[in-house]
Amino acid sequence: AEAEEYLAIVDRNATRLLGLVDDLLFAARVQAGQLALDIAPVDLRVVVADAVSSARPRADRAGIRLRAETSSVPVVRADSRRLVQVLDNLISNAIKFTPAAGTVTVSLSSDGEWVRLHVADTGMGMDEADQRRLFERFFRTRAALDRQIPGTGLGLYISRAIVESHGGKISVESAAGEGSTFTVELPAS
């Protein structure tokens, strides 16, 4: 039993390191302009449902309500695997930076020309200085460093590269102590 426990720890740490290496390699490909996409029609309601389902156990362990509000939006032409990567990162960050009993809401909207994916949390939020640098490679907010919240500072950099490679935009609205809302805008097909 003790050996199994140690092996589980080794496996968990190996998986974590593999994820870090993957992020570093992906960031290097982005920097070299070698981001390849597999473009096809994508229903974002399916992407949201899958990402929320995957993140629910982590949210439950943290005592956070995770909700999906998916209205009907136009299909987008995108690489669904990469959009899942963006959404997984945004949801994971929202969970990390939201205290227990908080809420993370993933929603969709559209004006016909753009489809918007929103990830809103009731977490700690951030000041304007941190918001200006948030999508830089290896940047971590002061709150993340002060509270020793784990991370590499690559997730939002990678997310921005993926969104921009789809002809889209990613932005954040936040205020310290009031939570954050990240919005991904993609052209409607």
Side-chain angles (χ1 to χ4, degrees):
E2 186 177 350
E4 285 181 5
E5 183 179 331
Y6 287 129
L7 287 174
I9 292 169
V10 168
D11 183 56
R12 202 169 42 248
N13 287 333
T15 301
R16 189 174 301 134
L17 284 174
L18 180 60
L20 177 59
V21 170
D22 284 345
D23 282 351
L24 289 169
L25 290 173
F26 191 89
R29 284 194 300 273
V30 165
Q31 187 105 14
Q34 299 175 341
L35 180 57
L37 300 174
D38 184 17
I39 302 295
V42 176
D43 181 346
L44 286 177
R45 291 176 299 175
V46 173
V47 172
V48 168
D50 289 348
V52 167
S53 175
S54 293
R56 188 161 310 283
R58 193 169 52 244
D60 289 346
R61 282 192 304 273
I64 294 169
R65 289 181 306 277
L66 178 58
R67 304 179 338 190
E69 298 174 354
T70 56
S71 58
S72 183
V73 295
V75 168
V76 297
R77 291 193 48 73
D79 184 326
S80 64
R81 190 170 59 101
R82 294 297 179 204
L83 290 184
V84 167
Q85 183 178 0
V86 169
L87 192 51
D88 285 347
N89 180 61
L90 294 177
I91 293 171
S92 174
N93 282 352
I95 292 169
K96 278 195 296 192
F97 291 96
T98 299
T103 302
V104 173
T105 304
V106 183
S107 61
L108 295 170
S109 66
S110 177
D111 62 8
E113 185 178 342
W114 293 93
V115 176
R116 291 177 184 85
L117 172 63
H118 311 276
V119 177
D121 65 60
T122 59
M124 62 181 68
M126 67 193 95
D127 63 28
E128 288 184 29
D130 282 343
Q131 289 178 56
R132 282 192 293 275
R133 298 196 55 211
L134 196 57
F135 297 99
E136 293 177 12
R137 188 171 40 151
F138 299 118
F139 177 74
R140 311 263 339 272
T141 64
R142 283 179 292 237
L145 295 171
D146 291 346
R147 291 181 173 97
Q148 298 180 347
I149 296 172
T152 61
L154 286 173
L156 291 174
Y157 169 78
I158 290 170
S159 294
R160 184 184 69 186
I162 292 170
V163 170
E164 289 178 352
S165 71
H166 283 85
K169 299 175 273 190
I170 186 170
S171 60
V172 63
E173 290 183 22
S174 186
E178 297 180 20
S180 302
T181 299
F182 284 83
T183 301
V184 172
E185 296 181 272
L186 298 169
S189 295

